[in-house]
Amino acid sequence: QVPLQESGPGLVKPSDTLSLTCAVSGYSMHTDNWWGWIRQPPGKGLEWIGYINYSGTTYYNPSLKSRVTMSVDTSKSQFSLDLTSVTAVDTAVYYCVKKIGAQWYFDLWGRGTLVTVSS
Amino acid sequence: QSALTQPRSVSGSPGQSVTISCTAISSDIGDYKYVSWYQQHPGKAPKLMIYDVYKRPSGVPDRFSGSRSGNTASLTISGLQTEDEADYHCCSFEGSTFIFGGGTKLTVL
């Protein structure tokens, strides 16, 4: 099984909400792991979106904070991302990632899913 | 909030060494000690290569090394191999925020 697997619509209309889910396999969501999202617009660099732990504590990128909500469902071993009021600049490959407690790097990445914002 | 600047591209021949820089531009960069590097092959997810400036995860060849001098972190790849051709991204954690550089394309000639 793939440790982290993203899922969600590949096409979202402008002004709508982008919603993605990441299924976690082989790792407990109740330990000192944090679960996050990073995106990469086509041909560009990476951008950190935020992360969440099993209890729902979140940290968001200040530049996206007003539009981002993350949630976690430990019973289903998954976590989710909602990004509201999307525009074309939100078109990107979205990766779900894992970090460990007070370690400041991402040690596990999903394969990524391309989300295109277009009417 | 700081920005991280990387060269857009670097190149080297098999067997040679290359160094990719990552310079923090900020009035308050802190001690810049949480720098990580990620390798990304085309169409693939990034892979952690270096963390905490110089530490190597298990399984990463010791040809990859990290260092820092002042506000510039560097990734050095020695004994270049064709499979090292990829994009490399630096990342820094400061305050409560992760910042990525723009990425550097490494070409192995």
Side-chain angles (χ1 to χ4, degrees), chain B residues 37-68:
Chain B
W37 290 89
Y38 302 86
Q39 177 192 63
Q40 184 179 31
H41 288 107
K44 301 295 186 181
K47 172 188 175 183
L48 177 68
M49 304 301 284
I50 295 288
Y51 66 96
D52 293 353
V53 176
Y54 64 90
K55 297 176 182 177
R56 236 181 357 261
S58 173
V60 173
D62 59 8
R63 302 185 295 104
F64 292 83
S65 62
S67 63
R68 184 193 71 213

Side-chain angles (χ1 to χ4, degrees), chain B residues 29-90:
Chain B
I29 194 58
D31 53 11
Y32 199 31
K33 63 180 182 181
Y34 298 121
V35 178
S36 54
W37 290 89
Y38 302 86
Q39 177 192 63
Q40 184 179 31
H41 288 107
K44 301 295 186 181
K47 172 188 175 183
L48 177 68
M49 304 301 284
I50 295 288
Y51 66 96
D52 293 353
V53 176
Y54 64 90
K55 297 176 182 177
R56 236 181 357 261
S58 173
V60 173
D62 59 8
R63 302 185 295 104
F64 292 83
S65 62
S67 63
R68 184 193 71 213
S69 176
N71 66 338
T72 296
S74 298
L75 173 70
T76 297
I77 309 170
S78 59
L80 270 178
Q81 299 182 4
T82 55
E83 59 262 36
D84 297 334
E85 183 162 296
D87 291 331
Y88 291 85
H89 306 271
C90 66

Side-chain angles (χ1 to χ4, degrees), chain B residues 4-22:
Chain B
L4 299 180
T5 299
Q6 298 181 236
R8 290 186 65 90
S9 63
V10 298
S11 63
S13 299
Q16 288 186 332
S17 293
V18 295
T19 295
I20 301 171
S21 62
C22 174

Side-chain angles (χ1 to χ4, degrees), chain A residues 12-18 67 83-90 116-119:
Chain A
V12 180
K13 290 182 167 53
S15 80
D16 282 357
T17 296
L18 179 159
R67 298 194 292 131
L83 181 66
T84 62
S85 305
V86 297
T87 68
V89 299
D90 295 309
T116 301
V117 179
S118 175
S119 55

